[in-house]
Amino acid sequence: MAIAALRTPEDRFENLPGWDFNPNYIDDLPGYEGLRMHYVDEGPADGVTFLCIHGEPSWSYLFRKMMPVFTAAGHRAVAVDMFGFGRSDKPSDDEVYTYHFHRNALLAFVEKMDLKNVCLVVQDWGGLLGLTLPMAAPDRYSRLIVMNTGLPGGEEAGEGFSAWRAFNRANPDLDVAGLMQRATPILSDDEAAAYAAPYPDQSYKGGVRRFPELVMMKEQGKDLTPLSAEGVETSLAARKFWSEDWAGESFMAIGMQDPVLGPPAMHFLRSIIKDCPEPLEVAEAGHFVQEWGGPIAEAALEQFGLK
């Protein structure tokens, strides 16, 4: 049965600052037939493939400062918009958005594109989901760049995340531009508006509304909800993979001003990732650390010997 979905008009993406990447679309992912997924695909096909996966409520625009660094060094940059975000189709029923709806779509995308020699580049939900992908096909992945994210396993949420989840519930028509600018004061008004471009009105924001409910963490004194419990087993399996089976190279950058997924969360994640070196600490960066992404990408290439 086809999934009813909205498609953001193309003119919403015209003349976005710093965004001159050509759109690419795929609409025949197994299990998602009829839903159109957008991705950016730049650079030569014979280098390392830097697979960039965004989080909430962002889209591939988040990687506009990192992708040119990768391609200038002779590598391929692929940035995908998850369903409900960016230029990808947005299922109109909020209940469609579940942990495995998103994860299985990403797995299908990697398989359909036959991505190999992948450096996974993740932050926020890009990590909660993306960090579970290599265990399904470890031979495809050779490197990792990880920023301000985690692999929650059903723990109790801290005050910062509980406050964010409550705020999101109270604002079903989330002011995406306002949120991005508060979290990232270096953004211009036009850049903040670019983050909101995918969402002409509240009906397009189902994915934005649902992601906080899917985080595998429980409220203080309560049990996990069915939504937040769905990904726990997968996330714990991914922790085991990264600590025991990961054989690639890793690079970590931390936006030090992030109140939710800042230094404590990232140092815990580092303890899980086998042989992960000391992180790059970006003192002025907050949660959306990719806005400082140029120097981060340069440092990662330097560490990996890929410049």
Side-chain angles (χ1 to χ4, degrees):
M1 183 176 176
I3 297 173
L6 301 170
R7 182 168 293 173
T8 304
E10 288 292 318
D11 61 10
R12 298 273 300 183
F13 301 99
E14 294 176 358
N15 302 315
L16 302 184
W19 188 256
D20 56 0
F21 304 102
N22 293 322
N24 300 275
Y25 297 102
I26 189 167
D27 62 4
D28 60 348
L29 292 180
Y32 300 85
E33 290 83 2
L35 286 181
R36 191 177 75 169
M37 178 174 276
H38 166 258
Y39 63 98
V40 173
D41 193 348
E42 301 280 327
D46 57 351
V48 174
T49 295
F50 289 82
L51 173 60
C52 305
I53 307 178
H54 68 85
E56 143 86 359
S58 57
W59 57 290
S60 52
Y61 185 76
L62 186 68
F63 293 98
R64 71 194 182 283
K65 298 179 180 179
M66 300 185 79
M67 290 189 289
V69 177
F70 299 142
T71 57
H75 304 290
R76 181 184 184 188
V78 176
V80 61
D81 287 343
M82 285 187 267
F83 289 124
F85 298 85
R87 293 174 102 132
S88 290
D89 285 353
K90 299 161 184 70
S92 50
D93 183 353
D94 287 14
E95 292 188 5
V96 168
Y97 300 98
T98 65
Y99 179 92
H100 286 107
F101 171 83
H102 286 297
R103 180 175 187 262
N104 290 338
L106 290 172
L107 288 170
F109 176 80
V110 170
E111 289 292 322
K112 186 75 175 180
M113 297 288 291
D114 195 22
L115 300 181
K116 298 175 181 176
N117 195 12
V118 172
C119 177
L120 192 62
V121 187
V122 296
Q123 174 262 349
D124 191 75
W125 263 103
L128 271 72
L129 292 164
L131 289 171
T132 74
L133 304 182
M135 66 182 181
D139 291 346
R140 293 188 180 275
Y141 297 86
S142 55
R143 296 169 183 86
L144 169 70
I145 299 175
V146 61
M147 302 163 282
N148 294 61
T149 188
L151 277 171
E155 299 87 359
E156 193 171 88
E159 290 184 8
F161 179 72
S162 292
W164 159 238
R165 188 182 264 169
F167 177 81
N168 187 74
R169 287 173 181 165
N171 292 273
D173 189 13
L174 184 70
D175 177 4
V176 173
L179 171 72
M180 294 299 301
Q181 207 154 32
R182 287 193 301 276
T184 316
I186 65 169
L187 290 177
S188 69
D189 290 345
D190 287 343
E191 287 173 319
Y195 279 108
Y199 316 110
D201 60 49
Q202 179 175 335
S203 65
Y204 290 78
K205 297 179 183 176
V208 173
R209 284 189 291 272
R210 287 280 276 199
F211 256 149
E213 302 300 325
L214 305 182
V215 176
M216 301 81 77
M217 302 185 82
K218 58 189 175 184
E219 301 298 321
Q220 293 182 351
K222 298 182 180 180
D223 294 330
L224 290 167
T225 68
L227 281 176
S228 62
E230 182 179 326
V232 169
E233 185 176 335
T234 302
S235 191
L236 292 176
R239 287 187 185 181
K240 187 174 186 294
F241 169 83
W242 287 101
S243 63
E244 298 179 7
D245 301 324
W246 172 240
E249 298 180 81
S250 303
F251 178 92
M252 176 177 284
I254 306 175
M256 299 298 284
Q257 301 303 314
D258 187 341
V260 177
L261 289 169
M266 291 301 286
H267 286 296
F268 174 72
L269 182 61
R270 179 173 175 250
S271 73
I272 293 171
I273 300 172
K274 187 177 180 181
D275 298 327
C276 184
E278 286 285 335
L280 172 67
E281 296 182 349
V282 187
E284 66 275 23
H287 180 62
F288 299 99
V289 68
Q290 292 97 318
E291 287 296 338
W292 290 261
I296 293 171
E298 293 279 3
L301 290 177
E302 182 81 32
Q303 180 181 297
F304 293 149
L306 294 175
K307 295 190 73 171

